[in-house]
Amino acid sequence: MTTAYKIWDIPGGIHPEQYKTLSNASEIQPAVLPPEIILPLNQHIGAPAEVLVNVGDQVKTGQLIARNKGQISVGVHSSITGTVTAIESRPIPHPSGMPALCVVIERLAEEEILFLPPLNDWKSEPLEILLQRALDAGLAGMGGAGFPTHAKLNSRGNIHTLIVNAVECEPYITSDDRLMREKASEIVEGIEITRLITGAQKVLIGIEDNKPEAITALQTIIDRIPDKGIEIRVVPTKYPSGGEKQLIQLLTGQEVPSGSIPATLGIVMQNVGTIYALQQAIVLGKPLIERVVTVTGENCPNPGNRWIRLGTPMSFILEQVGVKADGPHQLIMGGPMMGFTVMDHQAPVIKTTNCLLLPEPKPEQPILPCIRCGMCEQACPVNLLPQQLYWNAKSHDWEKAELNSLFDCIECGACAWSCPSNIPLVQYYRFAKAEIKKERAETEKSDRARLRFEQRQERLAQEEAEKEAKRRARAEAAAKAQQAKQESDGDNAVNSDMKSEILASVARAKAKKQSQAEPSAVPPKPVLSTEQLKGKWETLQSKVETARTKLDAAKTENPEMVNALSTALGKLEEKAHQAKLAYQQAAEEENKPQ
Ligand code: SF4
Ligand code: SF4
């Protein structure tokens, strides 16, 4: 049983007609398989999946045909057994009406299943395995956003509260309602799995008070399990209570700051349909190949909920409910508030298709000038100024639109629903957001190009400076080598002189002896005096000292000169030695007793 709890309020909100009873009275119909499926590669927020198959390949039901490209991406599995007949651009359900790359598979009569291995004993599996399974099964948020489930669940450590979004506040849509009534046990198991993965201590299931059967079904299962950390929180029926930030505010009283995500408050939210898909992926190994879709509206002859294999063309479903595919009718994917018109009915059902709405044709409402009544402001659940945003968008004043928190707008449509002038306000906001994003992308692109250019210029300047430094070093080295050579040549000349002087000195001594023994008529060759020889020796010794000093300095400042200077020093030392010998010999000769 539920206990007393507090439900907070949100600003604004509206109470449109519900139209839920059109489709919520009967059980979910089983899937009828189409002859061909069309699987877009981008059924989620993030990078499109990467194709793994080729035309002509045979694939089984549940087989991975395109893998995730990065972490914000999920793979795509074949939802039937068949042959790949094309990998090409096809119409997809998107507000832009633009086509996208799809894998087209023609069904074979015999169905062969290729699921992942079941993880029945999931409580004892490592958390990484459970998280990986969410990725391997191609799970993406099924409430409409399509954010990759594994990426959202991978915030363990920061999360204390798991909120299960079972509000389903859009008029007409009842797919979650029927799923909870019929699969309550699987959903509660899915909640326990999600709780284990996220590490949340507390689970709050937010559900509107217009789903009493679903509330009873869930509560019955919750009462049977020993874990009492799961609580149902019934909120009043009001649109858009199912918005992520709005439901957090309703259940906890906390506001997720602008530009922030619930994880910053320690909260993670999962749609009830996604939680069911996770349970199927873990316990049965079943990838995301089908979902419940509400097919409804005043223009739908046979409204109700159906299991639909992903990739089933919408035209095939319209036929199943008795609508002529070429009939003059409007087809909306999603609800009347946040849905969009599907331009080509060959577009397939994808992971985020919760409703196909065939509304009553309404007479065109004339768009009148804004009368500044303020109704839109009163309806806004985010406390924005829709009227101001409208003027900003209309005058292409993107700067002011951003200042007026355009990007906090959740495009719920409550303002447009309230507007007596029938102004399609949300269309203006979507256009403004798209233009701002385009401008940002262009600015980022040119910033990146400028940065690349500046980095290149810097690199070239650095390379030039390095080359110049090397050139200078080479020139200095050459100059020093030249100087060393010159010094060496000069010293060699001195050395040669010294040898001559020594020889002359020896000759002089011999001649002196000879002249003393037998006087000659030939005068002796002029030679350096002992005093001059001493001067030569001292000069060379001084050069030796200078050379040593230079060599010591070169060892730290100019290593490439060390060899040349060592050689020059060796030679100088030799010369000084020779000069010393010459001087000593001359002095000896001079001092010999006559
Ligand atoms: S509700 Fe419509 S008419 Fe009234 S202020 Fe807003 S935009 Fe203008
Ligand atoms: S569509 Fe945006 S501006 Fe309008 S009510 Fe919703 S949140 Fe406010």
Side-chain angles (χ1 to χ4, degrees):
M1 289 295 295
T2 51
T3 51
Y5 50 78
K6 179 172 167 67
I7 297 292
W8 280 261
D9 198 9
I10 53 168
I14 54 173
H15 295 89
E17 191 73 44
Q18 288 292 293
Y19 302 109
K20 301 262 189 189
T21 51
L22 270 178
S23 59
N24 70 359
S26 54
E27 283 190 2
I28 305 169
Q29 300 286 302
V32 178
L33 305 190
E36 178 185 88
I37 57 160
I38 303 152
L39 291 164
L41 300 174
N42 55 344
Q43 302 180 41
H44 53 268
I45 286 179
E50 203 172 11
V51 182
L52 297 173
V53 291
N54 295 304
V55 172
D57 286 358
Q58 292 220 343
V59 292
K60 295 176 183 172
T61 305
Q63 182 177 332
L64 185 72
I65 58 161
R67 66 169 163 238
N68 65 300
K69 207 172 173 184
Q71 282 302 298
I72 307 300
S73 175
V74 289
V76 178
H77 301 75
S78 178
S79 56
I80 56 169
T81 300
T83 308
V84 177
T85 55
I87 299 169
E88 63 188 17
S89 195
R90 289 284 185 104
I92 61 159
H94 193 271
S96 69
M98 298 283 285
L101 193 62
C102 300
V103 177
V104 184
I105 302 169
E106 196 177 290
R107 186 165 62 85
L108 291 170
E110 282 291 307
E111 178 155 64
E112 283 186 73
I113 305 288
L114 184 65
F115 286 177
L116 298 158
L119 302 170
N120 289 309
D121 188 17
W122 53 264
K123 283 184 185 153
S124 52
E125 292 286 352
L127 296 176
E128 297 73 35
I129 298 288
L130 300 178
L131 203 53
Q132 184 63 35
R133 177 53 60 92
L135 176 62
D136 293 342
L139 301 188
M142 296 171 77
F147 192 80
T149 304
H150 68 279
K152 200 169 185 184
L153 293 179
N154 193 12
S155 44
R156 195 179 163 79
N158 305 318
I159 301 302
H160 53 70
T161 303
L162 164 66
I163 293 182
V164 180
N165 192 340
V167 173
E168 202 169 49
C169 58
E170 273 247 21
Y172 289 96
I173 308 176
T174 58
S175 53
D176 286 350
D177 182 6
R178 284 304 325 182
L179 192 69
M180 287 184 280
R181 295 193 208 186
E182 297 175 33
K183 302 287 181 190
S185 179
E186 289 88 342
I187 288 170
V188 172
E189 187 175 19
I191 289 172
E192 289 181 292
I193 293 169
T194 312
R195 185 182 181 186
L196 180 67
I197 295 175
T198 57
Q201 299 108 51
K202 190 161 69 173
V203 180
L204 303 175
I205 304 173
I207 185 166
E208 274 186 338
D209 58 9
N210 61 1
K211 300 175 187 63
E213 297 88 349
I215 294 167
T216 305
L218 287 176
Q219 192 61 62
T220 305
I221 303 296
I222 291 167
D223 288 343
R224 281 190 209 145
I225 59 170
D227 186 346
K228 296 298 173 201
I230 303 174
E231 293 172 25
I232 295 179
R233 296 284 166 92
V234 182
V235 299
T237 298
K238 176 174 158 181
Y239 180 83
S241 299
E244 190 172 61
K245 292 185 177 180
Q246 286 64 43
L247 186 56
I248 288 171
Q249 198 172 350
L250 276 169
L251 300 190
T252 69
Q254 291 180 280
E255 278 186 58
V256 180
S258 170
S260 196
I261 57 169
T264 56
L265 299 178
I267 296 170
V268 68
M269 184 178 292
Q270 285 292 339
N271 166 263
V272 73
T274 316
I275 281 180
Y276 173 76
L278 178 65
Q279 185 269 348
Q280 296 284 290
I282 300 275
V283 178
L284 304 180
K286 185 179 176 181
L288 186 51
I289 57 166
E290 64 179 354
R291 65 160 298 146
V292 183
V293 180
T294 304
V295 188
T296 188
E298 293 80 0
N299 223 4
C300 178
N302 188 15
N305 284 283
R306 292 163 184 269
W307 286 104
I308 305 279
R309 294 282 175 97
L310 301 182
T312 302
M314 292 177 185
S315 56
F316 180 81
I317 300 163
L318 297 186
E319 270 177 45
Q320 297 294 306
V321 298
V323 176
K324 284 205 173 78
D326 56 351
H329 50 251
Q330 185 192 15
L331 175 63
I332 294 172
M333 183 173 117
M337 304 302 297
M338 295 186 75
F340 58 89
T341 298
V342 178
M343 307 308 289
D344 190 329
H345 296 183
Q346 293 304 314
V349 162
I350 58 172
K351 295 177 183 181
T352 53
T353 310
N354 54 0
C355 179
L356 294 179
L357 175 62
L358 292 143
E360 196 173 25
K362 285 183 191 147
E364 192 101 339
Q365 300 276 359
I367 298 169
L368 304 170
C370 171
I371 54 170
R372 300 179 190 272
C373 65
M375 300 287 280
C376 49
E377 194 182 328
Q378 285 173 33
C380 181
V382 193
N383 279 332
L384 300 179
L385 299 169
Q387 180 203 342
Q388 286 301 322
L389 286 172
Y390 161 62
W391 292 115
N392 300 154
K394 204 172 175 191
S395 58
H396 292 203
D397 192 341
W398 310 139
E399 207 176 314
K400 278 215 181 106
E402 284 205 72
L403 282 174
N404 282 321
S405 307
L406 173 69
F407 282 93
D408 283 343
C409 167
I410 59 170
E411 298 176 21
C412 67
C415 52
W417 186 86
S418 311
C419 178
S421 294
N422 306 311
I423 301 171
L425 295 167
V426 183
Q427 286 179 29
Y428 280 97
Y429 308 151
R430 282 185 185 151
F431 173 72
K433 284 182 186 178
E435 287 299 304
I436 292 170
K437 281 179 188 164
K438 203 163 83 187
E439 271 185 16
R440 277 184 194 162
E442 276 164 14
T443 308
E444 272 171 31
K445 200 172 154 194
S446 64
D447 282 352
R448 275 201 301 274
R450 197 184 62 244
L451 188 66
R452 272 204 307 277
F453 175 76
E454 284 171 0
Q455 284 171 341
R456 183 171 181 273
Q457 294 300 98
E458 227 171 81
R459 199 180 62 245
L460 291 177
Q462 197 177 342
E463 281 172 8
E464 191 49 43
E466 281 169 8
K467 275 187 201 161
E468 182 55 34
K470 280 182 188 163
R471 267 200 297 273
R472 223 179 295 125
R474 274 201 304 275
E476 278 174 19
K480 282 177 183 167
Q482 179 67 22
Q483 189 187 353
K485 187 169 181 297
Q486 280 170 355
E487 282 176 3
S488 171
D489 288 350
D491 291 343
N492 282 342
V494 173
N495 196 31
S496 170
D497 287 350
M498 291 306 298
K499 274 184 188 164
S500 306
E501 282 159 14
I502 291 165
L503 288 173
S505 174
V506 172
R508 193 173 56 245
K510 276 184 185 168
K512 191 178 176 186
K513 277 186 187 172
Q514 206 171 353
S515 67
Q516 282 168 353
E518 43 181 271
S520 167
V522 184
K525 199 178 169 185
V527 292
L528 294 175
S529 68
T530 306
E531 226 16 66
Q532 284 172 316
L533 285 173
K534 189 183 177 195
K536 282 276 178 192
W537 171 43
E538 284 170 352
T539 305
L540 280 167
Q541 193 54 40
S542 160
K543 283 185 177 179
V544 165
E545 293 308 319
T546 308
R548 273 195 193 125
T549 310
K550 280 184 183 176
L551 178 60
D552 287 343
K555 281 175 185 170
T556 53
E557 293 162 14
N558 210 352
E560 69 269 21
M561 292 299 297
V562 167
N563 280 346
L565 289 171
S566 296
T567 310
L569 175 62
K571 286 176 182 172
L572 276 172
E573 283 173 341
E574 176 59 26
K575 280 186 284 179
H577 178 65
Q578 294 297 338
K580 184 181 174 187
L581 286 179
Y583 160 66
Q584 285 172 341
Q585 201 171 348
E588 220 174 279
E589 288 293 331
E590 209 171 65
N591 295 331
K592 271 187 184 167
Q594 301 296 308

Short mmCIF file of all heavy atoms in Angstrom, two decimals, residues 1-8 204-205 207 215 219 231-235 250-251:
data_model
loop_
_atom_site.label_atom_id
_atom_site.label_comp_id
_atom_site.label_asym_id
_atom_site.label_seq_id
_atom_site.Cartn_x
_atom_site.Cartn_y
_atom_site.Cartn_z
N MET A 1 0.84 -1.20 0.00
CA MET A 1 0.00 0.00 0.00
C MET A 1 0.87 1.25 0.00
O MET A 1 1.95 1.27 0.57
CB MET A 1 -0.86 0.01 1.28
CG MET A 1 -1.97 -1.03 1.29
SD MET A 1 -3.22 -0.77 0.03
CE MET A 1 -3.95 0.77 0.54
N THR A 2 0.37 2.30 -0.62
CA THR A 2 1.12 3.55 -0.61
C THR A 2 0.98 4.22 0.75
O THR A 2 -0.01 4.06 1.45
CB THR A 2 0.57 4.52 -1.69
OG1 THR A 2 -0.82 4.62 -1.53
CG2 THR A 2 0.89 4.04 -3.08
N THR A 3 2.02 4.93 1.14
CA THR A 3 1.97 5.64 2.41
C THR A 3 1.83 7.13 2.13
O THR A 3 1.89 7.56 0.98
CB THR A 3 3.27 5.39 3.20
OG1 THR A 3 4.35 5.66 2.33
CG2 THR A 3 3.34 3.97 3.70
N ALA A 4 1.65 7.92 3.19
CA ALA A 4 1.49 9.37 3.00
C ALA A 4 2.80 9.95 2.48
O ALA A 4 3.87 9.58 2.95
CB ALA A 4 1.12 10.00 4.33
N TYR A 5 2.69 10.82 1.54
CA TYR A 5 3.88 11.46 0.99
C TYR A 5 3.48 12.81 0.46
O TYR A 5 2.29 13.08 0.25
CB TYR A 5 4.51 10.60 -0.11
CG TYR A 5 3.54 10.13 -1.16
CD1 TYR A 5 3.12 10.98 -2.18
CD2 TYR A 5 3.02 8.83 -1.13
CE1 TYR A 5 2.22 10.56 -3.14
CE2 TYR A 5 2.12 8.40 -2.09
CZ TYR A 5 1.73 9.26 -3.09
OH TYR A 5 0.83 8.86 -4.04
N LYS A 6 4.48 13.63 0.21
CA LYS A 6 4.19 14.99 -0.27
C LYS A 6 4.43 15.05 -1.77
O LYS A 6 5.40 14.52 -2.28
CB LYS A 6 5.11 15.97 0.45
CG LYS A 6 4.92 17.42 0.03
CD LYS A 6 5.75 18.33 0.94
CE LYS A 6 5.87 19.74 0.41
NZ LYS A 6 4.66 20.51 0.37
N ILE A 7 3.52 15.69 -2.46
CA ILE A 7 3.72 16.00 -3.88
C ILE A 7 3.80 17.52 -3.99
O ILE A 7 2.92 18.24 -3.51
CB ILE A 7 2.54 15.47 -4.74
CG1 ILE A 7 2.46 13.93 -4.68
CG2 ILE A 7 2.66 15.93 -6.20
CD1 ILE A 7 3.60 13.19 -5.33
N TRP A 8 4.89 17.99 -4.60
CA TRP A 8 5.06 19.44 -4.77
C TRP A 8 4.28 19.90 -6.01
O TRP A 8 3.68 19.06 -6.70
CB TRP A 8 6.55 19.77 -4.92
CG TRP A 8 7.29 19.82 -3.63
CD1 TRP A 8 7.62 20.93 -2.93
CD2 TRP A 8 7.80 18.72 -2.87
NE1 TRP A 8 8.30 20.60 -1.79
CE2 TRP A 8 8.43 19.25 -1.73
CE3 TRP A 8 7.79 17.34 -3.02
CZ2 TRP A 8 9.04 18.46 -0.76
CZ3 TRP A 8 8.39 16.55 -2.07
CH2 TRP A 8 9.00 17.10 -0.95
N LEU A 204 11.36 6.03 -6.80
CA LEU A 204 10.03 6.66 -6.80
C LEU A 204 9.41 6.44 -8.18
O LEU A 204 10.03 6.80 -9.20
CB LEU A 204 10.15 8.16 -6.52
CG LEU A 204 10.83 8.57 -5.21
CD1 LEU A 204 10.96 10.09 -5.14
CD2 LEU A 204 10.06 8.04 -4.01
N ILE A 205 8.25 5.83 -8.22
CA ILE A 205 7.55 5.66 -9.50
C ILE A 205 6.52 6.78 -9.59
O ILE A 205 5.56 6.82 -8.82
CB ILE A 205 6.84 4.29 -9.57
CG1 ILE A 205 7.85 3.16 -9.35
CG2 ILE A 205 6.14 4.12 -10.92
CD1 ILE A 205 7.21 1.78 -9.23
N ILE A 207 3.47 8.53 -11.31
CA ILE A 207 2.39 8.12 -12.21
C ILE A 207 1.18 9.02 -11.99
O ILE A 207 0.89 9.42 -10.85
CB ILE A 207 2.06 6.62 -11.97
CG1 ILE A 207 1.04 6.09 -12.96
CG2 ILE A 207 1.63 6.34 -10.54
CD1 ILE A 207 0.94 4.56 -12.97
N ILE A 215 -1.62 1.57 -11.44
CA ILE A 215 -1.13 1.79 -10.07
C ILE A 215 -1.36 0.53 -9.24
O ILE A 215 -0.46 0.05 -8.55
CB ILE A 215 -1.83 3.02 -9.43
CG1 ILE A 215 -1.43 4.29 -10.17
CG2 ILE A 215 -1.48 3.13 -7.94
CD1 ILE A 215 -2.29 5.51 -9.85
N GLN A 219 1.52 -1.83 -7.63
CA GLN A 219 1.55 -1.91 -6.16
C GLN A 219 1.44 -3.37 -5.69
O GLN A 219 2.09 -3.77 -4.73
CB GLN A 219 0.42 -1.07 -5.55
CG GLN A 219 0.54 -0.86 -4.05
CD GLN A 219 1.82 -0.10 -3.68
OE1 GLN A 219 2.02 1.03 -4.08
NE2 GLN A 219 2.70 -0.77 -2.91
N GLU A 231 8.70 3.03 -4.10
CA GLU A 231 7.44 3.68 -3.72
C GLU A 231 6.74 4.28 -4.94
O GLU A 231 7.40 4.89 -5.78
CB GLU A 231 7.70 4.82 -2.72
CG GLU A 231 8.21 4.34 -1.38
CD GLU A 231 8.64 5.51 -0.51
OE1 GLU A 231 8.12 6.64 -0.72
OE2 GLU A 231 9.52 5.31 0.34
N ILE A 232 5.44 4.10 -4.98
CA ILE A 232 4.66 4.74 -6.05
C ILE A 232 4.23 6.12 -5.57
O ILE A 232 3.77 6.28 -4.45
CB ILE A 232 3.42 3.88 -6.39
CG1 ILE A 232 3.86 2.54 -6.99
CG2 ILE A 232 2.51 4.61 -7.38
CD1 ILE A 232 2.72 1.61 -7.33
N ARG A 233 4.41 7.12 -6.42
CA ARG A 233 3.99 8.49 -6.08
C ARG A 233 2.98 8.95 -7.14
O ARG A 233 3.35 9.15 -8.30
CB ARG A 233 5.19 9.45 -6.07
CG ARG A 233 6.23 9.13 -5.00
CD ARG A 233 5.72 9.57 -3.64
NE ARG A 233 6.51 9.03 -2.55
CZ ARG A 233 7.55 9.62 -1.99
NH1 ARG A 233 7.97 10.76 -2.45
NH2 ARG A 233 8.15 9.07 -0.96
N VAL A 234 1.74 9.05 -6.73
CA VAL A 234 0.68 9.43 -7.67
C VAL A 234 0.58 10.96 -7.74
O VAL A 234 0.48 11.63 -6.71
CB VAL A 234 -0.68 8.83 -7.22
CG1 VAL A 234 -1.78 9.19 -8.23
CG2 VAL A 234 -0.58 7.31 -7.09
N VAL A 235 0.66 11.46 -8.97
CA VAL A 235 0.61 12.92 -9.14
C VAL A 235 -0.69 13.30 -9.86
O VAL A 235 -1.25 12.49 -10.61
CB VAL A 235 1.83 13.43 -9.95
CG1 VAL A 235 3.13 13.11 -9.24
CG2 VAL A 235 1.84 12.86 -11.37
N LEU A 250 8.01 17.75 -9.00
CA LEU A 250 6.76 17.26 -8.38
C LEU A 250 7.06 16.26 -7.24
O LEU A 250 6.42 16.29 -6.19
CB LEU A 250 5.90 16.55 -9.42
CG LEU A 250 5.00 17.43 -10.29
CD1 LEU A 250 4.43 16.61 -11.44
CD2 LEU A 250 3.86 18.01 -9.46
N LEU A 251 8.05 15.39 -7.48
CA LEU A 251 8.29 14.30 -6.51
C LEU A 251 9.26 14.67 -5.40
O LEU A 251 9.22 14.09 -4.32
CB LEU A 251 8.80 13.04 -7.22
CG LEU A 251 7.89 12.43 -8.29
CD1 LEU A 251 8.42 11.08 -8.72
CD2 LEU A 251 6.46 12.29 -7.81
#
